[in-house]
């Protein structure tokens, strides 16, 4: 059975197609060449004038794990009583509900439904705690419609810091990183406030890039170098995912600039960089350093970044950066928070927050994110995120896209901001408007390339048939909020913005080779320090694909000489 999408305007940056009118043929979930026998075509969609892109990919969104569950439990007042109107093919577990939650803390079910309705076909959890990986995967497995995967958090765990403190060689580090990827079924490695979360346990309240964790006598720079080297030498496609030190602190842009050099030229990804682009100029000692950060990103081709745009309204901040969340707890709205340790691995903080356009700092944060988007020259190295839910819920992406594509709309929004914040921003001098082609890079082709999803994010022959079709509209927010059609693995799942079929996506993992002898030291460590046995730490394939909820796609690393 072949499906034919005809006369659509393709925006496929992987193949340099910028509005090219071309047909697409789908068979068994894949894009295929034009069939020789037209009689085999059983379904046809006339997409004349329509915009056709690959399914969008959110490369950084907190959709699974302990932090989001804490947020759901902590904020019952945000729950709504509106029942779902979607098809009842969903299978319930204790993690889900047929009742929608506030978009800052959506249920697993609602997460999948809202993503696919916007044309997103994949989302990646950027802070998968190894000790909590099973919980995260259970939640992601209960998230319908989309592909998913996780980045395992290292760099603050006791075992790794002991390795650095005892001067273990790079091969031993590599074996541990590879073992973690296997055990947690992750596709990449993340580090949050390198060494800083752990330092918080020893009463340090701040940790600069070249300052030692006082217990292990290891600096964030050492952590970043060893982990980025391990990821590179193991051949993992996704570069080390870095949440820099000193998030949210005035003057932190210098730490961010210094961090760009910490990998010695190896690829490294800086996440939610808006929160790390602050200066100390002006009477309020808080200013935009977006110009300095953008200039450095334009020069350092080995660095990629996502923005972590804030948008105004109620949300909840959920982060592994317990050091900074403890400081932010005094700003909680509503006035409650959770700061906690998680076994030997790390910690987390959950703080509800409401961003206001008349608050000087919030207004300037909004402007800083947009300044970064508009000043970084290469759309292949900057990615559209709100650090869901920290900057704003992912459901606000269509609004953010309009801000990037429509200068007059952006300027109108800017004119409503706190006046002191307006005086400290050069946003209105930035005339750039993103094109549909550039949006397709940021949200599709570039994201797929960064993570290593070779058969996603594009519309070439052999690609998985994740395809989104839009009506071209001047109001880009309306356009991107409600696609005409969304196909997931070749099946029509959304029509006119409404779900017509419930499906289950795949889980993407990376499993590079490593020396199994590394498990001997790990087992001794688990027996001595952990409350969980080593074998229970590891997640089997069957635990992820249970009940037919999607397959596992393995991306094998390719070792490089070292």
């Amino acid at each position: 059975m072949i499906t034919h999408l005809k006369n659509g305007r393709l925006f496929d940056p992987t193949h340099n197609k910028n509005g090219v009118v071309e047909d697409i043929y789908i068979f068994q979930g894949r894009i295929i060449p034009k069939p020789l026998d037209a009689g085999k075509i059983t379904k046809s969609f006339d997409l004349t004038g329509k915009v056709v892109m690959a399914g969008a990919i959110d490369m950084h969104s907190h959709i699974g794990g302990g932090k989001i569950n804490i947020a759901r439990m902590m904020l019952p007042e945000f729950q709504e009583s509106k029942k779902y109107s979607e098809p009842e093919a969903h299978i319930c577990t204790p993690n889900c509900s047929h009742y929608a939650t506030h978009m800052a803390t959506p249920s697993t079910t609602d997460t999948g439904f809202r993503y696919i309705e916007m044309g997103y076909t994949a989302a990646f959890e950027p802070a998968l705690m190894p000790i909590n990986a099973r919980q995260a995967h259970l939640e992601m497995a209960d998230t319908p419609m989309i592909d998913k995967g996780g980045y395992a958090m290292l760099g603050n765990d006791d075992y790794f810091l002991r390795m650095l403190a005892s001067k273990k060689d790079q091969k031993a580090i590599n074996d541990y990183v590879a073992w973690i990827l296997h055990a947690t079924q992750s596709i990449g490695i993340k580090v949050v406030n390198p060494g800083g979360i752990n330092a918080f346990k020893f009463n340090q309240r701040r940790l600069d890039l070249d300052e030692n964790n006082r217990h292990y006598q290891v600096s964030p720079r050492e952590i970043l170098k060893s982990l980025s080297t391990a990821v590179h030498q193991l051949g993992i496609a996704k570069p080390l995912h870095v949440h820099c030190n000193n998030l949210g602190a005035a003057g932190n842009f210098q730490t961010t600039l210094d961090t760009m050099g910490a990998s010695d030229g190896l690829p490294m990804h800086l996440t939610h960089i808006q929160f790390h682009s602050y200066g100390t100029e002006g009477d309020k000692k808080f200013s935009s350093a977006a110009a300095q950060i953008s200039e450095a990103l334009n020069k350092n081709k080995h660095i990629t970044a996502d923005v972590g745009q804030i948008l105004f309204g109620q949300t909840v901040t959920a982060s592994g950066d317990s050091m900074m969340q403890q400081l932010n707890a005094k700003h909680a709205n509503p006035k409650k928070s959770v700061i906690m340790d998680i076994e030997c691995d790390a910690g987390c903080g959950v703080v509800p927050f409401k961003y206001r356009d008349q608050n000087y700092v919030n207004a300037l944060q909004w402007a800083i994110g947009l300044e970064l988007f508009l000043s970084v020259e290469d759309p292949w190295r900057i990615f559209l995120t709100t650090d869901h839910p920290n900057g704003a819920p992912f459901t606000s992406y269509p609004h953010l896209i309009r801000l990037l594509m429509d200068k007059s709309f952006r300027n109108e929004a800017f004119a409503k901001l706190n006046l002191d914040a307006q005086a400290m921003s050069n946003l209105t001098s930035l005339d750039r408007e993103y094109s549909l082609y550039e949006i397709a890079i940021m949200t599709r082709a570039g994201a797929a390339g960064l993570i290593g999803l070779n058969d996603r994010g594009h519309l070439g022959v052999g690609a998985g048939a994740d395809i989104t079709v839009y009506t071209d509209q001047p109001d880009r927010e309306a356009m991107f909020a409600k696609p005409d059609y969304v196909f997931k693995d070749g099946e029509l799942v959304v029509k006119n913005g409404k779900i017509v079929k419930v499906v289950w996506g795949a889980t993407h993992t990376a499993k590079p080779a490593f020396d199994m002898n590394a498990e001997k030291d790990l087992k001794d460590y688990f027996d001595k320090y952990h409350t969980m046995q080593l074998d229970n730490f590891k997640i089997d394939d069957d635990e992820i694909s249970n009940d037919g909820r999607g397959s596992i796609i393995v991306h094998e690393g390719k070792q490089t000489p070292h």
Side-chain angles (χ1 to χ4, degrees):
M1 187 168 95
I2 297 175
T3 300
H4 180 201
L5 310 182
K6 60 183 181 180
N7 302 325
R9 294 170 56 220
L10 274 56
F11 290 84
D12 180 10
T14 301
H15 297 99
N16 299 311
K17 292 176 181 176
N18 186 2
V20 175
V21 176
E22 199 169 286
D23 291 1
I24 295 174
Y25 300 89
I26 302 168
F27 179 67
Q28 294 184 343
R30 296 271 163 187
I31 296 175
I32 63 169
K34 182 179 179 179
L36 296 176
D37 184 359
K40 293 183 177 179
I41 296 172
T42 55
K43 285 186 179 180
S44 184
F45 295 81
D46 187 353
L47 306 182
T48 301
K50 305 286 188 185
V51 169
V52 183
M53 297 183 180
I57 299 166
D58 193 346
M59 48 75 62
H60 182 111
S61 179
H62 296 280
I63 58 172
K67 296 189 297 294
I68 294 301
N69 264 346
I70 291 169
R72 291 172 184 144
M73 291 186 289
M74 194 170 74
L75 300 167
E77 63 269 38
F78 290 164
Q79 293 181 358
E80 300 172 358
S81 60
K82 179 184 176 183
K83 286 191 175 184
Y84 285 125
S85 59
E86 284 83 356
E88 292 296 321
H90 178 63
I91 306 167
C92 275
T93 73
N95 281 331
C96 70
S97 166
H98 281 299
Y99 292 88
T101 330
H102 186 275
M103 285 298 103
T105 54
S107 68
T108 51
T109 308
D110 208 43
T111 295
F113 287 158
R114 298 293 85 78
Y115 262 123
I116 203 75
E117 285 174 346
M118 295 192 306
Y120 275 76
T121 53
F124 289 81
E125 164 57 55
L128 189 148
M129 187 72 70
I131 201 77
N132 194 44
R134 182 169 282 102
Q135 159 80 27
H137 277 295
L138 283 169
E139 289 190 58
M140 289 192 287
D142 196 55
T143 303
M145 313 306 293
I146 60 173
D147 286 3
K148 44 260 171 183
Y151 313 147
M153 288 174 63
L154 291 178
N156 284 284
D157 55 303
D158 179 63
Y159 189 83
F160 173 75
L161 292 172
R162 284 170 182 257
M163 293 182 81
L164 284 190
S166 61
K167 307 299 182 185
K168 293 285 187 180
D169 63 23
Q170 187 63 46
K171 183 184 181 303
I173 300 288
N174 294 0
D175 285 337
Y176 175 56
V177 170
W179 182 85
I180 283 288
L181 287 166
H182 279 255
T184 63
Q185 297 271 12
S186 300
I187 194 171
I189 297 294
K190 162 89 171 286
V191 59
V192 173
N193 188 356
I197 301 172
N198 185 283
F200 184 66
K201 300 178 182 182
F202 300 97
N203 211 31
Q204 285 177 270
R205 291 294 182 263
R206 184 181 174 120
L207 197 65
D208 290 320
L209 192 66
D210 293 301
E211 180 182 358
N212 280 347
N213 176 307
R214 65 175 54 145
H215 181 75
Y216 299 92
Q217 293 300 306
V218 170
S219 72
R221 187 183 294 274
E222 293 175 80
I223 293 168
L224 290 168
K225 184 176 180 181
S226 63
L227 286 177
S228 58
T229 299
V231 168
H232 177 71
Q233 291 184 352
L234 289 169
I236 304 305
K238 173 72 184 69
L240 180 66
H241 201 77
V242 179
H243 164 137
C244 296
N245 302 85
N246 300 324
L247 175 142
N252 64 8
F253 80 97
Q254 190 58 54
T255 299
T256 307
L257 294 176
D258 293 341
T259 299
M260 292 184 190
S263 68
D264 288 346
L266 294 178
M268 191 163 65
H269 180 87
L270 305 186
T271 191
H272 43 64
I273 201 166
Q274 177 275 136
F275 289 105
H276 306 272
S277 301
Y278 304 153
T280 57
E281 297 177 4
D283 294 340
K284 300 182 186 295
K285 303 302 180 185
F286 183 86
S287 61
S288 171
Q292 295 95 314
I293 296 297
S294 299
E295 181 182 8
L297 279 169
N298 289 333
K299 288 180 179 177
N300 289 281
K301 307 299 184 185
H302 67 293
I303 301 293
T304 54
D306 63 87
V307 171
Q309 178 70 35
I310 77 115
L311 295 165
F312 302 117
Q314 180 69 53
T315 191
V316 57
T317 63
S319 174
D321 197 341
S322 48
M323 179 184 281
M324 295 310 301
Q325 289 294 73
Q326 188 265 344
L327 291 174
N328 292 334
K330 60 181 176 287
H331 302 299
N333 186 351
K335 288 288 184 184
K336 49 186 170 180
S337 62
V338 172
I339 313 293
M340 65 183 292
D341 178 38
I342 302 175
E343 193 117 349
C344 299
D345 276 19
C348 80
V350 180
V351 180
F353 195 81
K354 190 170 186 177
Y355 292 102
R356 293 182 167 90
D357 60 2
Q358 294 308 307
N359 175 283
Y360 171 79
V361 171
N362 296 168
L364 197 52
Q365 287 177 301
W366 179 90
I368 289 168
L370 294 173
E371 289 171 10
L372 288 164
F373 271 121
L374 300 169
S375 301
V376 174
E377 296 166 355
D378 185 357
W380 290 92
R381 294 196 297 113
I382 193 81
F383 300 91
L384 188 143
T385 64
T386 57
D387 188 21
H388 166 82
N390 291 289
F394 68 79
T395 48
S396 60
Y397 286 169
H399 178 73
L400 176 53
I401 289 172
R402 185 178 180 188
L403 288 169
L404 296 176
M405 298 188 72
D406 187 337
K407 183 179 188 296
S408 62
F409 178 72
R410 184 168 68 234
N411 286 350
E412 288 171 9
F414 181 83
K416 299 174 184 176
L417 298 183
N418 173 285
L419 293 176
D420 290 335
Q422 289 186 46
M424 294 295 288
S425 173
N426 71 341
L427 184 61
T428 54
S429 69
L430 300 174
D431 294 329
R432 181 179 179 185
E433 293 180 318
Y434 270 73
S435 66
L436 286 171
Y437 190 76
E438 289 174 315
I439 294 296
I441 293 172
M442 264 204 312
T443 60
R444 274 92 170 164
L450 181 78
I451 300 169
L453 312 179
N454 297 326
D455 70 339
R456 307 287 153 164
H458 67 91
L459 301 172
V461 170
D466 291 354
I467 301 168
T468 305
V469 179
Y470 303 99
T471 294
D472 198 349
Q473 302 179 53
D475 182 343
R476 299 305 193 187
E477 182 171 352
M479 172 181 169
F480 282 95
K482 188 177 179 180
D484 295 74
Y485 303 107
V486 181
F487 296 85
K488 181 74 186 84
D489 293 314
E491 293 193 76
L492 179 65
V493 294
V494 172
K495 183 176 181 181
N496 296 326
K498 297 293 184 183
I499 294 169
V500 295
K501 183 174 184 178
V502 175
V503 297
W504 300 95
T507 297
H508 295 266
T509 69
K511 296 184 178 179
F514 68 98
D515 186 350
M516 286 296 294
N517 290 323
E519 276 205 354
K520 182 182 182 302
D521 288 343
L522 277 161
K523 186 178 186 308
D524 292 342
Y525 177 82
F526 269 73
D527 289 345
K528 187 172 183 179
Y529 295 107
H530 270 293
T531 59
M532 180 187 291
Q533 293 183 354
L534 180 73
D535 286 343
N536 292 335
F537 186 91
K538 296 185 286 187
I539 299 170
D540 294 330
D541 289 357
D542 289 345
E543 295 182 69
I544 293 175
S545 56
N546 193 30
D547 294 328
R549 295 183 177 215
S551 58
I552 296 174
I553 298 175
V554 178
H555 303 261
E556 295 181 1
K558 296 181 181 179
Q559 298 263 7
T560 58
H562 54 279

